[in-house]
Amino acid sequence: MRGRAADVTHLNYMGHYLFRRVLQMLPVLFGVVLITFVLFHVVGGSPAVMALGKNATPAALEEFDETRGFNRPLLWGRWTATRAWAAWDARRGAARAGAWEGTTGARLDAAGSALFPPGVRVVPLACPLRAGTAYRWRLEVRQPSGGGTLAVTPEGGAPSTAAIAVPARWTRLDLPLSAGADRADGLRVTVTGGAALEIRAARLERRMAHPWESQLAHYLGRVARLDFGVSLATNERVADMLKQGIGPSLMLTAPIFFGGLILSIALALLCAWRRDSWFDRLTVVIAVVLMSVNYLVWIVAGQYLLAYQAGWFPIWGFDSWRCLLLPVLIGLVSGLGANLRFYRTVMLEEINRDYVRTALAKGLGAPAVLFRHVLRNALIPIITSTVIAIPFLYTGSLLLESFFGIPGLGGLSINAINSADVEVIRGVVLVGAVLYMVANLLTDLCYAWADPRIRLR
Amino acid sequence: MTTFAPASPGLAAGGPRLWRGLRRGWRTRASMLVLALFAAAALWGEIVYRLAQARDRTPSYAQLNLDARYLPPSLFRHPFVAAGGSEAAATPVGARLYAGLRELARYPFGTDNLGRDVGQRLIQGARIAFQVGVMTALIAIPLGLLLGLLAGYFGGWVDDLVVWLYSTVAAIPGLLFILAIALVVGKGLTGVYLGIGLTTWVGLCRLIRGETLKQREQTYVQAARAMGLGHARILFRHILPNVFHLVIITISLRFPAAVSTEVFLSFLGIGVQGEPSWGVMLGNARLRLWQGMWWELTFVTIAIFAVVLAFNLLGDALRDALDPRAASKSDV
């Protein structure tokens, strides 16, 4: 009975601990989502241009942005830029007259401002305004003679709104526009007054229905729905691509991981046991040498020498288990050096402890001491390093997969990087981060299970 | 081995102590020699590069020479046969020797598929590798050091914020994160610097934070506080020297890692553009290997290997000298 009760308390503590750890994961998860957002929405270029090319029409780009939520304010706000008309500022490079191209009768003066003589002009738009949506044209204007007025309406849109008086000094005016039922592909500017109207800066903005309808909200919503979007390059669903990739990836990385673990631990035990023997010294030297050879060189040389010249392995492909042999071998060899050195250090530390001497003194054989005592006590650093290795494993397969034509996540990522396929990269990054966090959680649980003091902290 | 007082194992006593503590076996000496050569090659490469830029000329390492494509290294070219030709018997021995030596000095490392000098390109690769190592350290080390010090010293919300920040960065798969940053920043060295620099401060930050947490409770810090010294002074004049050994160890570990990452990025075509970095050369060599051009791959491999090995050996020696705790662990 006492055992049962202890078990229940134990489970209870574990439950509490698990709950706390999962809660601690949430801020990190949010941070990862935030970092991907900053990377791809704030710093990165326009995904629409990346996907459709520089020669795509503004209408097509606008359509692309609309379906993926890229045409919204970044964090929050009522007004957002539109591709219908490029924002323009005379003080920021006078050469940018492109915004006024096609506006007959308007011209730029020496200071770079746009001059609109009295009369009616039409400013063409790159793509039509959306029907039933409010826009505004934010202008910095003046009428040097004073007493002039300005009225702007979308072409074929609602009847002209009341003309606004323009003062003689620079003023910022917000001119509301509402596109009518028809497609407006120009802005009709009516100017009255003595002298030409001067425009120093102009920006066309679209009004959002809700200020929180932002890119961030859209992105968070997508992540919450586990919607990874659609590949920019192949139009496939990213979730499907990831699902297809995980199998081949695991086929490659799991043997490398577990094989490497067993091999390096076994060698490390031997080294620690026969410490300072020729075997130990040689192994340590070989480990440093193995560590120092570039990963790429292992792959290039291995593929050339073992697969092409010697013909022992298939060079490329994923149609039989034989294709996996060489990549697994290369993965094993390239990772062996660092692991071996680390495990040897861990084992040495354990083997110098008193309990080992005691065990040997009471007549236990070497295998019993090594496997029953040393290995068990060295387990905690081994678990830690194993988990630390998981993200490396994930990225390590990037190269192996793309070199050997294995259709896993690594090859997928490399292709995505080469074609600037932001959606796929983001999907892989998010999944990788979640995997890492889960693995971290698992190690901590192992710790807590192995060492009751941790649970109580 | 080293006999530092456990309370302040750092560089408080300055460089000479580090120098004395460094075990100078042949391995340490050899790796220092290799690193000195590496630095000299980088400097030489920089001079060549700058001169060519100042004169607005194609630098010698980028000059195409279509008559001398696929030339093996001179030792493998049978220089005496090449110099003498069919009338070798007629020419005097001295002249043949002279011609042979000249041939040896011409393209000693061979030429690539466009007739460019592999030796000169290797030197340029050393320049870029050196730059990447230094620049990424300049980004990552101050970042990790400062955040680690602040988090460890002040604790509280500062600590929470820093721990959150580095846990987040650590959660993202490293190489992929670097690739994404490089992709977003744009192809070129800036992307490489930022990608590697902004992802590799985490390890140092963790170490410094942990060590500062320990140092904060030491008597010398309490004494400094009792004397009424300001936080900045305690942090940078008293604690920093005692955790600085971690910075040196980290640099010796991160530098070769940065070089390897640059090789990888340039190989993928995201890194260096239009310059012969080791990664670019490796990518080129890989394609030409199938045509029998083994030397470019071999020399690049040897160059990367030598630099990384030297850093690894020196890093071990540094760790032994600076970190008594680690030294007791890894007495190789």
Side-chain angles (χ1 to χ4, degrees):
Chain A
M1 271 323 272
R2 260 187 64 220
R4 282 275 304 275
D7 278 354
V8 169
T9 340
H10 183 89
L11 275 181
N12 208 1
Y13 276 130
M14 279 306 266
H16 271 285
Y17 180 73
L18 181 68
F19 182 70
R20 262 189 303 151
R21 274 296 281 112
V22 171
L23 270 190
Q24 282 167 7
M25 270 167 68
L26 290 180
V28 174
L29 186 64
F30 180 71
V32 170
V33 172
L34 213 58
I35 282 188
T36 52
F37 177 77
V38 168
L39 257 186
F40 297 120
H41 286 246
V42 184
V43 187
S46 157
V49 176
M50 280 186 200
L52 303 177
K54 287 202 168 75
N55 299 325
T57 62
L61 294 176
E62 179 76 20
E63 178 66 31
F64 183 94
D65 280 351
E66 172 66 20
T67 54
R68 287 158 200 253
F70 284 122
N71 58 352
R72 304 176 178 194
L74 213 51
L75 300 177
W76 65 281
R78 268 291 183 201
W79 297 95
T80 175
T82 163
R83 288 180 192 274
W85 197 73
W88 177 82
D89 193 327
R91 286 155 300 182
R92 217 179 295 153
R96 289 190 51 204
W100 301 106
E101 207 165 292
T103 312
T104 47
R107 62 188 172 80
L108 298 183
D109 73 356
S113 305
L115 299 185
F116 277 73
V120 179
R121 321 269 164 228
V122 175
V123 179
L125 294 177
C127 62
L129 299 182
R130 223 173 296 159
T133 310
Y135 288 84
R136 76 174 176 195
W137 210 23
R138 176 165 266 207
L139 297 172
E140 266 182 61
V141 289
R142 71 172 178 184
Q143 180 107 19
S145 61
T149 64
L150 168 67
V152 181
T153 53
E155 272 274 84
S160 173
T161 48
I164 298 174
V166 182
R169 56 186 167 72
W170 287 114
T171 321
R172 178 183 286 177
L173 293 179
D174 284 335
L175 292 144
L177 303 165
S178 60
D182 296 334
R183 295 159 57 84
D185 45 14
L187 297 177
R188 189 184 306 145
V189 181
T190 314
V191 176
T192 66
L197 181 87
E198 291 180 29
I199 301 181
R200 188 160 70 168
R203 200 163 72 216
L204 186 64
E205 290 175 331
R206 185 165 59 88
R207 187 184 158 87
M208 303 302 301
H210 196 278
W212 289 105
E213 194 187 334
S214 65
Q215 290 192 33
L216 181 62
H218 181 81
Y219 181 50
L220 289 178
R222 268 180 46 186
V223 171
R225 276 179 280 124
L226 294 181
D227 171 13
F228 291 118
V230 178
S231 157
L232 300 182
T234 62
N235 249 348
E236 241 176 302
R237 282 171 48 81
V238 174
D240 291 343
M241 295 169 87
L242 294 182
K243 246 180 257 165
Q244 285 162 14
I246 201 131
S249 271
L250 281 181
M251 273 188 229
L252 177 64
T253 51
I256 295 178
F257 190 56
F258 292 109
L261 203 63
I262 292 168
L263 193 62
S264 46
I265 288 179
L267 281 175
L269 269 178
L270 272 179
C271 278
W273 188 246
R274 294 263 166 259
R275 184 180 177 184
D276 285 338
S277 66
W278 65 268
F279 175 78
D280 180 32
R281 289 186 179 277
L282 188 71
T283 313
V284 168
V285 170
I286 291 177
V288 178
V289 169
L290 286 185
M291 252 170 77
S292 306
V293 176
N294 197 279
Y295 194 58
L296 275 168
V297 171
W298 282 120
I299 300 178
V300 171
Q303 196 174 30
Y304 180 73
L305 295 176
L306 299 183
Y308 176 70
Q309 294 250 300
W312 294 342
F313 304 99
I315 297 176
W316 201 85
F318 188 64
D319 30 33
S320 82
W321 60 273
R322 283 175 51 85
C323 292
L324 283 173
L325 284 180
L326 185 57
V328 167
L329 183 70
I330 291 175
L332 271 179
V333 172
S334 61
L336 192 60
N339 282 341
L340 181 54
R341 255 164 63 105
F342 174 76
Y343 291 132
R344 179 178 168 276
T345 314
V346 171
M347 300 298 176
L348 271 183
E349 186 156 295
E350 285 302 322
I351 238 165
N352 287 333
R353 297 265 168 106
D354 289 341
Y355 71 84
V356 176
R357 204 179 315 142
T358 313
L360 286 173
K362 77 176 184 187
L364 274 185
V369 175
L370 279 184
F371 290 104
R372 214 179 297 152
H373 294 270
V374 175
L375 193 57
R376 189 173 285 181
N377 277 298
L379 219 54
I380 282 200
I382 290 176
I383 292 174
T384 324
S385 75
T386 310
V387 170
I388 288 172
I390 284 178
F392 290 109
L393 200 75
Y394 192 65
T395 51
S397 63
L398 284 178
L399 277 180
L400 280 176
E401 286 179 15
S402 57
F403 265 86
F404 289 97
I406 295 164
L409 291 180
L412 189 73
S413 316
I414 293 283
N415 286 343
I417 294 277
N418 283 334
S419 56
D421 196 340
V422 171
E423 299 276 331
V424 172
I425 300 170
R426 187 167 46 205
V428 179
V429 165
L430 282 178
V431 171
V434 170
L435 285 181
Y436 176 86
M437 279 186 275
V438 170
N440 236 335
L441 175 70
L442 284 181
T443 21
D444 282 1
L445 287 183
C446 288
Y447 277 179
W449 171 72
D451 185 351
R453 285 171 302 179
I454 294 174
R455 289 196 299 270
L456 298 172
R457 236 193 278 143
Chain B
M1 226 176 297
T2 52
T3 51
F4 291 126
S8 90
L11 293 181
R17 208 164 191 191
L18 161 67
W19 191 243
R20 252 182 289 140
L22 202 60
R23 211 167 19 150
R24 267 162 296 164
W26 64 271
R27 267 181 276 191
T28 314
R29 284 171 196 276
S31 48
M32 280 178 170
L33 181 71
V34 168
L35 293 183
L37 280 177
F38 171 56
L43 187 67
W44 176 246
E46 185 72 30
I47 292 172
V48 170
Y49 173 74
R50 296 266 167 199
L51 275 182
Q53 271 209 328
R55 292 199 201 132
D56 201 17
R57 262 192 224 160
T58 315
S60 52
Y61 58 83
Q63 263 162 17
L64 311 184
N65 185 356
L66 294 185
D67 299 331
R69 301 165 68 205
Y70 296 113
L71 269 186
S74 55
L75 275 181
F76 294 84
R77 274 205 306 257
H78 311 297
F80 292 89
V81 177
S86 54
E87 61 270 36
T91 42
V93 178
R96 272 161 61 195
L97 194 64
Y98 175 69
L101 285 178
R102 267 190 50 185
E103 180 64 23
L104 260 182
R106 202 170 70 97
Y107 301 126
F109 293 91
T111 60
D112 69 0
N113 52 311
L114 294 171
R116 295 171 299 193
D117 189 344
V118 170
Q120 292 215 39
R121 292 170 76 73
L122 278 175
I123 289 176
Q124 290 301 312
R127 165 176 77 90
I128 289 170
F130 198 82
Q131 273 179 9
V132 168
V134 171
M135 290 299 291
T136 53
L138 283 182
I139 298 175
I141 299 292
L143 203 60
L145 186 61
L146 192 68
L147 289 180
L149 277 175
L150 292 178
Y153 183 73
F154 288 111
W157 66 268
V158 182
D159 190 33
D160 289 342
L161 189 70
V162 170
V163 170
W164 172 73
L165 202 61
Y166 75 57
S167 312
T168 302
V169 174
I172 300 176
L175 211 43
L176 215 53
F177 196 15
I178 296 176
L179 283 173
I181 293 178
L183 181 76
V184 162
V185 174
K187 293 179 175 179
L189 270 178
T190 321
V192 176
Y193 296 155
L194 286 178
I196 303 176
L198 291 180
T199 49
T200 52
W201 56 273
V202 172
L204 179 69
C205 185
R206 236 182 225 156
L207 282 176
I208 295 279
R209 172 180 169 268
E211 194 61 33
T212 310
L213 271 175
K214 269 186 237 154
Q215 298 285 334
R216 189 175 64 169
E217 308 302 329
Q218 299 277 340
T219 41
Y220 74 92
V221 176
Q222 286 169 4
R225 222 175 268 154
M227 281 164 68
L229 297 186
H231 288 313
R233 199 177 157 88
I234 294 178
L235 256 183
F236 294 105
R237 293 292 296 278
H238 295 267
I239 295 183
L240 179 62
N242 282 302
V243 298
F244 202 74
H245 62 288
L246 295 173
V247 173
I248 293 181
I249 294 172
T250 304
I251 290 179
S252 76
L253 290 175
R254 294 312 325 172
F255 201 106
V259 170
S260 304
T261 312
E262 183 274 324
V263 166
F264 172 72
L265 289 179
S266 299
F267 179 86
L268 286 181
I270 292 175
V272 185
Q273 305 291 311
E275 299 274 340
S277 97
W278 287 342
V280 171
M281 291 178 75
L282 208 56
N284 186 48
R286 179 202 164 216
L287 296 177
R288 304 296 159 185
L289 194 61
W290 314 88
Q291 295 167 12
M293 194 176 95
W294 51 268
W295 50 92
E296 192 173 15
L297 180 72
T298 311
F299 289 131
V300 176
T301 304
I302 292 174
I304 302 173
F305 174 72
V307 169
V308 175
L309 182 65
F311 266 111
N312 280 335
L313 292 179
L314 192 67
D316 286 349
L318 280 174
R319 220 170 341 179
D320 288 349
L322 294 174
D323 196 345
R325 209 161 36 95
S328 67
K329 277 187 201 167
S330 71
D331 40 3
V332 176

